[in-house]
Amino acid sequence: QVSLVETGGGMVQPGDSLRLSCAASGRISSTYSMAWFRQAAGREREFVASISGSGSSTSYADSVKGRFTISSDNTRTNLYLQMNNLKPEDTAIYFCAAKLMGGASPQPGAYDYWGQGTQVTVSS
């Protein structure tokens, strides 16, 4: 069993930055791929960014490319999402997720464990 807890959300103005953290505990492994997803009110959960089990490969949604950066420590016990130049359309609940087998994926259904989410609100 793996437990994921996200922190770092909040209310900011357009153009501001936030850094989300995800603390993993339990049977976490450095081989797991991990990702950030988000879900805005009334919308489906969507992929934001992922990092492969080896840590050598990252992937981003087009909407956040160049503004967001995903990173992790080598043991995968801490996952981060640095979000710069935030926009109102980035408003959502942000979730971290862990995938036990295979490479990272942009599909929510491919992930085995999820955190409870942290709210990010971007508004002037």
Side-chain angles (χ1 to χ4, degrees):
Q1 190 71 14
V2 173
S3 176
L4 303 173
V5 179
E6 303 94 335
T7 57
M11 180 177 291
V12 297
Q13 295 186 338
D16 285 351
S17 298
L18 272 179
R19 189 191 196 206
L20 304 184
S21 298
C22 174
S25 60
R27 301 186 68 177
I28 194 71
S29 168
S30 61
T31 63
Y32 293 174
S33 295
M34 298 190 75
W36 288 96
F37 289 81
R38 66 187 182 187
Q39 188 166 16
R43 301 186 66 176
E44 293 186 352
R45 193 165 298 190
E46 66 174 5
F47 171 76
V48 174
S50 65
I51 186 166
S52 65
S54 67
S56 63
S57 177
T58 58
S59 181
Y60 296 91
D62 287 343
S63 59
V64 306
K65 202 170 292 184
R67 300 188 297 123
F68 291 11
T69 303
I70 188 171
S71 62
S72 174
D73 59 21
N74 290 336
T75 61
R76 290 289 183 270
T77 54
N78 291 287
L79 181 73
Y80 305 102
L81 185 68
Q82 178 66 42
M83 305 186 295
N84 298 328
N85 190 23
L86 282 160
K87 303 176 181 181
E89 52 263 42
D90 294 318
T91 296
I93 300 173
Y94 283 71
F95 300 89
C96 68
K99 185 174 183 285
L100 276 61
M101 302 291 292
S105 169
Q107 301 300 322
Y111 288 80
D112 302 286
Y113 296 102
W114 291 85
Q116 84 291 344
T118 185
Q119 176 72 47
V120 173
T121 302
V122 185
S123 176
S124 56

